[in-house]
Amino acid sequence: SKYLESLSTFKCNFVQANPDGTISEGTMLYSEKKIRINYKKPSKITFIAKSKKAMYYHEDLEEVHYFNPKKTIFVLFNNLLDFSSFPKNNYNISVEDKAIEVQINNTEVEEIQSFILMLQNEPVELKKIKWVGVDNLRYSFSVFNMVSGIIINDKEFNMAHPLLNN
């Protein structure tokens, strides 16, 4: 829990395996309960989420959608990084030599059936997030090149309509 709570700011690269067999790649920024995910492949898509507002921007299709992030994976991710406030009966932790697995039992997110964080042990480092949707579709989000404790400019979380700014 100390490690997760120390991740108040970080950036990383990721590879996401999707249920249809496709692979997505991109970068993620996290700073004080704000998150930005930039998919680079196969399509350029940006998600930005703050406590009460989120934005989806598909650059190739020039589509922009705003939505409430409440009860989405964004809120669940924020709650996990504030692990000490997470109810103890909502998760199980198993530790093996080189791996720590945190399984969330009650996500309170309608689209997610189960959610697992996988961490490397010694040194502790986030490596993978896995989740199963209510439709039984499985996703994994592998994290690498993580750099924490960095300064991230608040402009990275700007949700001004991207098509109106060009």
Side-chain angles (χ1 to χ4, degrees):
S1 64
K2 287 179 186 176
Y3 167 76
L4 290 174
E5 290 171 5
S6 76
L7 295 177
S8 60
T9 60
F10 69 86
K11 67 178 179 179
C12 66
N13 295 334
F14 69 84
V15 174
Q16 179 178 316
N18 302 305
D20 63 0
T22 60
I23 300 291
S24 302
E25 296 178 35
T27 59
M28 180 168 63
L29 291 173
Y30 180 85
S31 178
E32 300 165 0
K33 301 205 177 259
K34 297 177 285 219
I35 191 166
R36 179 184 181 117
I37 298 174
N38 291 326
Y39 287 90
K40 308 270 189 219
K41 294 178 185 176
S43 298
K44 291 182 179 177
I45 299 172
T46 300
F47 285 99
I48 299 174
K50 299 178 184 178
S51 61
K52 295 182 180 173
K53 187 176 182 182
M55 180 186 83
Y56 161 93
Y57 172 48
H58 193 300
E59 189 175 327
D60 300 333
L61 300 177
E62 295 187 340
E63 288 181 347
V64 179
H65 299 282
Y66 293 92
F67 59 96
N68 185 339
K70 185 179 180 187
K71 296 201 176 199
T72 68
I73 197 166
F74 295 119
V75 173
L76 176 59
F77 190 75
N78 277 333
N79 290 343
L80 287 171
L81 296 178
D82 186 17
F83 205 73
S84 63
S85 67
F86 216 70
K88 291 189 186 329
N89 62 340
N90 272 13
Y91 62 86
N92 296 323
I93 298 175
S94 60
V95 180
E96 297 203 10
D97 285 342
K98 298 186 189 231
I100 301 168
E101 186 174 287
V102 180
Q103 180 167 351
I104 308 305
N105 301 324
N106 180 9
T107 66
E108 297 182 12
V109 175
E110 294 167 3
E111 309 89 41
I112 297 177
Q113 184 173 284
S114 69
F115 192 86
I116 296 171
L117 286 179
M118 300 187 76
L119 300 106
Q120 168 185 294
N121 195 7
E122 297 179 29
V124 176
E125 187 173 69
L126 179 63
K127 290 296 183 181
K128 185 181 275 191
I129 301 168
K130 299 189 312 186
W131 68 97
V132 177
V134 289
D135 45 11
N136 228 17
L137 298 177
R138 298 177 185 284
Y139 300 82
S140 71
F141 193 90
S142 297
V143 175
F144 58 99
N145 295 337
M146 180 177 271
V147 180
S148 61
I150 59 171
I151 296 172
I152 299 174
N153 189 325
D154 257 0
K155 290 180 182 178
E156 294 288 349
F157 303 102
N158 181 350
M159 285 192 245
H161 197 293
L163 297 175
L164 299 177
N165 284 340
N166 292 335

